Amino acid sequence: MLTLDDVPVPEYERVVRVNDDEVGLDGYIAIHSLTRGPSLGGLRIRAYRSPEEALADVLRLSEAMTYKSAAAGLPFGGGKAVIIGEPSEIKTPPVLEQFGRAVDALEGAYITAEDVGTLVSDLVVVANGTKWVAGLPASHGGSGDPSPATAKGVFAAMRSVGKRLWGTDDLTGRKILVQGLGKVGSEMLELLTKAGATVLVADVDTKRIETAIDRYPEVEVIPSETCLQATVDIVSPCALGGILATGTVEDMHCSAVVGSANNQLNSPDAADIMKSRNIVYAPDFIVNAGGIINIASEYGYTPEDVDAALEAIGDTVSSVLDAADRRQTTTHEAAMLIARERLEGAD
Ligand code: NAI
């Protein structure tokens, strides 16, 4: 039987433990904030070592969603869900459907979506249990793959950083490294090539590299192990999180870091080091908001609204850089400040 047990957590709207032993479902849904609207955030499926670890993760991730949506000016609050288990073993239709019913029991206060460990095809199964699912494929009435929108947002952020650094948002002739040629990185390659940038690419997957060379023979390929040390104007991390460790940023030779990867900072110290080395770090959760902006099209945003919000990522980056200068803080701290202000300024 499906049960939802409230877990009292100060400062959170609602946190529930979601359980159904019969099907093997165990996890949490955390609603951090409803200030700007219903809470939105993906479902993460992971082999957590304990329920405590899963709870800590869902709390951290749902809070981060509050600030991401607030900074992007979206009408969403912050939420997230986790299911405990190895994705390849736990993702059975009964587990996903029961999870959907748990989401449904929250009556729209939490809208679920894709995250690490889930695929869009899993969301289709979750949707058998609830209508509160965002980011379904277009064939199922959803907004489909958000990656092109994410890339547009990253590109807007890059132009804004370019304007700050070089007095122009024209990226012609700039050397830009794209780390990771997946869904976002391959779109970045296209946008940057069209913009006249000199693009360097790195990926651990040789097939992705081959595809890139087929399309853009002029692209320069560099080894993935050392790519972050390349001498370029901008490094664009579009692969993994946690890549900006202190040792790494001490040995970077770029003017800026602007990419889609989530949670790029390995530690807050890395942001301090980039500041002291005059490397402009455009905070990831501002830069990669295009994915969630794309989802807003399922909740009343017209295509024009979506485009405007993607372009506005550039303006937000600019405000973040101004605030960091003014307050002599890291850009990450400045971004958090702006997100909190936008949260408090919500109607
Ligand atoms: P993806 O899985 O399609 O692509 C990731 C690429 O990175 C793959 O080609 C993979 O081979 C490559 N890669 C993995 N390790 C690498 C390494 N050490 N060095 C170089 N390349 C490596 O993922 P996607 O969707 O393109 O997302 C990229 C990043 O952006 C992720 O961190 C994701 O969480 C984040 N993001 C993506 C959004 C989207 O709309 N797809 C939205 C917001 C954030």
Side-chain angles (χ1 to χ4, degrees), residues 68 145-147 150 179-185 202-205 208 224 238-241 260-262 288 291:
K68 186 171 189 164
D145 181 8
S147 308
T150 302
Q179 180 196 34
L181 287 170
K183 295 189 288 293
V184 179
D203 198 299
V204 286
D205 183 341
R208 306 256 165 137
S224 54
C238 296
L240 310 168
S260 74
N262 272 312
N288 69 17

Side-chain angles (χ1 to χ4, degrees), residues 154 158 166 171 173-181 184-190 192-193 197-204 209 219-239 243-244 248 251-261 264:
V154 178
M158 265 186 200
W166 306 301
L171 297 174
R174 295 287 165 202
K175 273 184 110 171
I176 300 176
L177 163 73
V178 178
Q179 180 196 34
L181 287 170
V184 179
S186 53
E187 295 280 339
M188 286 308 298
L189 174 58
E190 180 166 342
L192 291 170
T193 306
T198 301
V199 189
L200 290 77
V201 295
D203 198 299
V204 286
I209 294 285
V219 76
E220 186 180 330
V221 179
I222 56 172
S224 54
E225 308 80 52
T226 52
C227 67
L228 295 174
Q229 273 69 50
T231 302
V232 291
D233 292 308
I234 300 176
V235 164
S236 185
C238 296
I243 47 142
L244 300 174
T248 309
D251 195 22
M252 283 176 89
H253 307 282
C254 60
S255 302
V257 177
V258 190
S260 74
Q264 291 170 33

